[in-house]
Amino acid sequence: MPTIHGELVTVIYHNPENGYAIARLQTPSEPGQVTVVGVLGDVAPGESLRLNGEWIEHPKFGRQFKAEACEHVLPASLNGIRRFLESGAVKGIGEKLAERLIVRFGSQVLDILDADPDRLLEVEGIGPAKLKTVLSSWQEKRQVRGLMLFLQTHGVATTFAHRIFRHYGVSAVQRLRANPYDLAYDIHGIGFRTADEMAVKLGFAADAPQRLEAGVEYCLRQTAEGAGHMFLPRVNLVEEAARLLGCHDPGLVEERVGALVEQKRLVVEDIPQKHVSSAVYLSYFYRAEREIASRLQGLLEHVSRLDPARIASAVQREEERLDLRLSPEQREAVESACAHKVAIITGGPGTGKTTITRVVVRALKALGLRIALAAPTGRAAKRLSEATGFTATTLHRLLKYQQGAGFEFNEDKKLPADLVVVDEVSMLDCGLCLSLLRALPLTCRLVFVGDENQLPSVGAGNVLGDMLESGRIPAVRLHQIFRQARESMIVVNAHRINQGEFPLASPHPPPRADFFWVEKEDLAELQALMVRMVCERIPEAYGLDPMQDVQVLTPMHRGEVGTIVLNQALQERLNPAGQELVRGQRAFRCGDRVLQLRNNYDKDVFNGDLGRITSFDLEDEVLLAEFDGREVEYGFDELDEIGLAYAISVHKSQGSEYPAVVMPVVTPHYMLLQRNLIYTGLTRARRLAVLVGSRRALRMGLANERGRQRNTALDVRLGAENP
């Protein structure tokens, strides 16, 4: 294989997500500069590179060297060191500071970074904080390159080297040698298949126990993350794992299932009430389900010390104070929530859940109870605060998550509350539910409020559905739609959709109309129509700000009306200019609406939070975004945590509301079109909802109730004497 070496002169293109680069190299073996392409990793001008690969002839750009492996050597010449430092290769060092370092230390500056870094404090512009940033970046760069060399030596792509190093640190190589399949669980963006490719190149056999066991656990994790299942029937699990692994002998997979059970990583249990023989759980999910049932039963069985007469009197006073007349159904819900240690209030839009919650909270507060209000998301918590007049927070903030230590309020330190109200409980997965229950003293009362017809939680489990199904938790289902709500076609059509019925047109023209169904079959025309609606028609007719008030919700990420394409189209219309940061196929601009894509407890931002990009710092490699008036900092290597939010998935909208919602319903999305998804999207709208697409697709979605079905057994355990 041909080898070339030389000094990197220019980086023409670099994708930090996969390390692919196009660059120019000055090499003594070739006249002029050589164009090199390939996965070069984190490269910077001034470095010396040793490349293995092949010469190719590009039809447009001519002769190039396609690199298969790349070895980095730090620059030795003064000019090379200058170019290297000026390039921004070391975080915290820009052109001006690079020049000052060169003037002060000359060609020894890199040696000083290694051996005597405190001397950098001699240079103007470097204080203790800046030195810490520079050293951290420098040390990571040196260690990451050692990891990259290991990966390249074994023919493994270096795409994820930075992520691997951030997670494992200096023990990264040791961890990879022992079990590369851990990557699939530990590193975001590395799935089983990528880890499997690495393992093969590192010498692991197709029937290696680590591989078979990883495949089994991957199937269970995947079904939990993708479909919300807590378990899989054993026969289904073996079939899926064998198919994933390309294993022609299912008996080998069966053996590893048994081995994982012996290692207590899996639990197998018959659930005759569900007609399931040999349900296979990841041990965490099995323990979580049992513990949730046990703790709920413990709360229910603990005797309440509140006098029923005092409760009735307090409720009556709040009715009078709020000038309310509760319906019989609402009164039943209030009495149930006040009388029982654990209670559920569920109903669709317009059924009075907010009114009931307000009365319950105010009445029990008046009796001297310490009140805590929470919801799974920040937006839902904000709405709960507005509805009740009391402070509400996210469940993570209520339980006080601490970096590296989990929740402050837990089994050992109980939450100082006598009543906890959780809104939008349909979003509550088994993990978060368990954390909440562990933090509650037995004396605490717990009220769950939500809509059982919304999409279930993104995480595994079906907490609300199972609690209702068990019949063990006192629950009131609200059906009556009140007069004011009946005037809203959003509310009327939400209930029609929930019954599988086609929505009705609004009897009013804009701006009084709050619902439209627009039939459009051609996807290109539909996409253009949606952009016009968001940017022109809705703002003009309703006086809404397209950047803040109009939200596109869609079932899919790909396709002509998926989030990816719609975000690009809407970004170009709503925020076409300004400072731009390009990462692969994504471009971020100052002023862009962005969405947090996963929980980040350290930054106190959570999956589904909406923000706005305020600035970039190219020298320090940070992006700043504002979330509900609070500034959050992202390093450039953390940008996979956020995405554009002009168009978001319906799942990401759970717990939020928007003045106006536009949602496509089209046949290419048929796999995800479900009644509860359409219902959830529609009920996110406060003032206006527009559904656009094909009548056939909408009817398909209305007929599809599969989204409600999950493999869980919390209902069975709640009904059992010994969960």
Side-chain angles (χ1 to χ4, degrees):
M1 183 179 288
T3 300
I4 63 171
H5 63 90
E7 185 178 292
L8 189 66
V9 179
T10 310
V11 179
I12 301 168
Y13 171 80
H14 180 244
N15 184 342
E17 294 183 354
N18 59 17
Y20 181 85
I22 304 172
R24 296 241 165 82
L25 196 73
Q26 187 73 55
T27 174
S29 60
E30 298 286 331
Q33 294 178 4
V34 173
T35 300
V36 295
V37 299
V39 177
L40 307 181
D42 192 5
V43 291
E47 290 184 88
S48 293
L49 303 181
R50 183 177 299 276
L51 305 171
N52 295 326
E54 61 177 342
W55 290 100
I56 61 172
E57 193 70 30
H58 191 279
K60 184 176 180 181
F61 300 109
R63 188 168 181 254
Q64 299 178 342
F65 190 83
K66 184 180 180 182
E68 300 294 336
C70 174
E71 181 184 349
H72 297 250
V73 182
L74 288 172
S77 71
L78 192 61
N79 285 333
I81 293 170
R82 178 181 281 106
R83 281 197 292 271
F84 175 73
L85 292 175
E86 288 178 346
S87 72
V90 181
K91 190 175 179 180
I93 300 179
E95 287 186 22
K96 292 180 180 178
L97 188 52
E99 186 58 37
R100 288 200 291 271
L101 286 166
I102 293 289
V103 170
R104 179 69 182 87
F105 300 117
S107 61
Q108 294 186 322
V109 62
L110 300 185
D111 295 328
I112 288 170
L113 268 169
D114 273 332
D116 195 6
D118 286 344
R119 289 193 61 192
L120 269 61
L121 294 169
E122 301 170 14
V123 176
E124 182 190 351
I126 297 183
K130 173 72 77 173
L131 178 63
K132 185 178 179 182
T133 299
V134 169
L135 283 184
S136 176
S137 174
W138 175 251
Q139 288 163 3
E140 179 176 339
K141 186 173 289 291
R142 297 296 297 264
Q143 290 167 332
V144 166
R145 289 189 173 170
L147 173 60
M148 289 176 69
L149 183 61
F150 169 80
L151 294 173
Q152 289 174 344
T153 302
H154 292 84
V156 176
T158 59
T159 307
F160 299 101
H162 283 277
R163 292 184 189 177
I164 294 170
F165 178 78
R166 277 203 305 275
H167 191 84
Y168 296 135
V170 294
S171 65
V173 172
Q174 183 183 347
R175 293 291 300 270
L176 288 176
R177 287 187 188 276
N179 191 352
Y181 293 99
D182 287 343
L183 292 170
Y185 314 128
D186 296 337
I187 312 296
H188 178 75
I190 299 182
F192 173 82
R193 296 187 186 282
T194 302
D196 196 34
E197 289 176 8
M198 289 189 185
V200 170
K201 290 175 178 176
L202 290 169
F204 284 77
D207 61 352
Q210 298 99 318
R211 181 172 188 264
L212 298 178
E213 290 174 4
V216 169
E217 290 187 311
Y218 173 78
C219 286
L220 287 170
R221 292 177 189 276
Q222 192 70 5
T223 198
E225 294 171 4
H229 297 316
M230 296 288 284
F231 66 83
L232 279 178
R234 187 166 186 157
V235 63
N236 295 17
L237 172 61
V238 170
E239 287 176 1
E240 287 191 26
R243 186 163 50 250
L244 169 76
L245 296 162
C247 179
H248 301 296
D249 183 1
L252 292 174
V253 179
E254 276 279 6
E255 285 179 15
R256 300 327 305 172
V257 171
L260 288 166
V261 172
E262 288 179 9
Q263 298 167 38
K264 300 188 183 317
R265 288 156 64 182
L266 302 183
V267 175
V268 180
E269 183 183 63
D270 292 337
I271 311 175
Q273 301 91 331
K274 298 278 186 177
H275 308 289
V276 177
S277 173
S278 297
V280 185
Y281 287 82
L282 290 165
S283 53
Y284 167 77
F285 286 134
Y286 178 76
R287 292 194 301 269
E289 202 170 71
R290 287 178 62 93
E291 191 177 343
I292 289 169
S294 176
R295 290 184 178 276
L296 284 170
Q297 290 185 358
L299 285 172
L300 286 166
E301 291 164 5
H302 191 271
V303 178
S304 171
R305 296 180 181 175
L306 279 180
D307 181 9
R310 290 186 65 207
I311 293 175
S313 177
V315 169
Q316 186 176 347
R317 282 196 303 272
E318 292 308 321
E319 279 190 81
E320 294 169 357
R321 201 170 289 166
L322 296 168
D323 194 22
L324 291 173
R325 180 169 297 194
L326 297 174
S327 70
E329 192 178 63
Q330 287 180 312
R331 185 170 298 282
E332 180 191 359
V334 170
E335 290 173 353
S336 176
C338 290
H340 296 106
K341 289 294 299 301
V342 185
I344 300 171
I345 301 165
T346 182
T351 56
K353 295 191 299 295
T354 298
T355 299
I356 293 163
T357 305
R358 188 188 302 128
V359 172
V360 170
V361 169
R362 291 174 68 95
L364 294 182
K365 177 85 170 170
L367 292 176
L369 271 65
R370 295 169 298 174
I371 308 292
L373 308 181
T377 68
R379 291 202 160 211
K382 187 177 179 181
R383 286 177 24 235
L384 182 59
S385 292
E386 293 167 351
T388 61
F390 293 95
T391 300
T393 185
T394 64
L395 282 162
H396 293 92
R397 290 178 186 142
L398 175 70
L399 301 178
K400 291 191 177 180
Y401 177 82
Q402 297 179 312
Q403 183 177 352
F407 293 111
E408 180 180 331
F409 294 111
N410 52 41
E411 177 65 36
D412 300 318
K413 183 181 179 180
K414 300 296 185 179
L415 193 68
D418 304 308
L419 169 68
V420 173
V421 178
V422 181
D423 198 12
E424 295 286 356
V425 71
S426 61
M427 300 178 65
L428 193 63
D429 63 33
C430 73
L432 190 52
C433 181
L434 180 56
S435 295
L436 170 66
L437 292 171
R438 283 174 173 171
L440 297 185
L442 280 175
T443 54
C444 191
R445 312 167 86 86
L446 181 58
V447 178
F448 292 119
V449 183
D451 183 349
E452 62 180 305
N453 295 307
Q454 297 280 345
L455 284 169
S457 59
V458 175
N462 186 22
V463 174
L464 175 58
D466 280 354
M467 288 194 299
L468 290 167
E469 185 66 25
S470 75
R472 184 77 172 85
I473 311 295
V476 176
R477 287 180 165 95
L478 304 170
H479 300 98
Q480 183 182 349
I481 306 173
F482 291 91
R483 182 185 60 78
Q484 187 175 357
R486 287 200 302 271
E487 296 174 359
S488 164
M489 295 308 295
I490 294 174
V491 173
V492 169
N493 284 324
H495 287 274
R496 287 183 64 85
I497 284 169
N498 193 37
Q499 297 299 316
E501 299 173 356
F502 207 86
L504 300 174
S506 174
H508 306 292
R512 287 188 61 194
D514 66 353
F515 175 85
F516 290 95
W517 159 248
V518 181
E519 197 164 348
K520 180 72 69 176
E521 294 277 353
D522 184 88
L523 290 180
E525 293 178 4
L526 192 151
Q527 181 199 112
L529 174 63
M530 290 178 66
V531 172
R532 286 199 305 276
M533 280 182 176
V534 172
C535 302
E536 301 168 16
R537 293 169 61 169
I538 291 173
E540 289 170 3
Y542 290 83
L544 297 174
D545 181 351
M547 283 291 284
Q548 297 189 48
D549 300 331
V550 187
Q551 183 63 62
V552 173
L553 304 179
T554 179
M556 292 282 287
H557 292 296
R558 304 197 177 276
E560 291 183 84
V561 288
T563 59
I564 298 170
V565 171
L566 285 172
N567 268 316
Q568 291 172 344
L570 289 166
Q571 184 190 43
E572 285 304 309
R573 284 292 304 274
L574 295 172
N575 194 27
Q579 188 183 14
E580 186 174 75
L581 180 66
V582 178
R583 285 294 179 269
Q585 301 301 310
R586 301 180 303 159
F588 294 112
R589 297 169 185 167
C590 284
D592 274 337
R593 290 173 66 176
V594 289
L595 178 79
Q596 180 71 19
L597 298 175
R598 62 181 183 270
N599 292 338
N600 188 320
Y601 305 115
D602 301 334
K603 298 184 188 296
D604 202 27
V605 285
F606 302 99
N607 191 352
D609 285 355
L610 286 174
R612 183 73 61 89
I613 295 175
T614 55
S615 65
F616 313 125
D617 188 323
L618 298 177
E619 183 171 305
D620 288 339
E621 296 187 356
V622 296
L623 175 150
L624 298 177
E626 183 184 301
F627 289 84
D628 288 327
R630 190 171 55 84
E631 200 166 64
V632 178
E633 181 179 295
Y634 297 87
F636 284 4
D637 58 352
E638 299 175 309
L639 296 182
D640 59 343
E641 290 192 14
I642 58 173
L644 293 178
Y646 301 100
I648 66 175
S649 71
V650 178
H651 285 84
K652 293 291 186 184
S653 75
Q654 288 177 265
S656 298
E657 282 188 346
Y658 315 94
V661 164
V662 180
M663 184 168 70
V665 184
V666 295
T667 48
H669 295 172
Y670 78 95
M671 290 293 290
L672 288 174
L673 282 179
Q674 298 159 1
R675 186 186 299 179
N676 58 355
L677 181 140
I678 299 169
Y679 174 85
T680 299
L682 177 61
T683 55
R684 299 308 88 201
R686 287 199 306 268
R687 186 174 169 186
L688 174 66
V690 183
L691 301 185
V692 292
S694 91
R695 185 174 293 268
R696 178 168 170 263
L698 183 52
R699 292 201 182 280
M700 287 167 62
L702 295 176
N704 182 5
E705 293 190 85
R706 289 197 307 272
R708 302 171 188 257
Q709 298 167 3
R710 291 187 168 188
N711 293 341
T712 63
L714 178 60
D715 54 342
V716 174
R717 303 188 194 285
L718 279 168
E721 289 187 14
N722 183 7

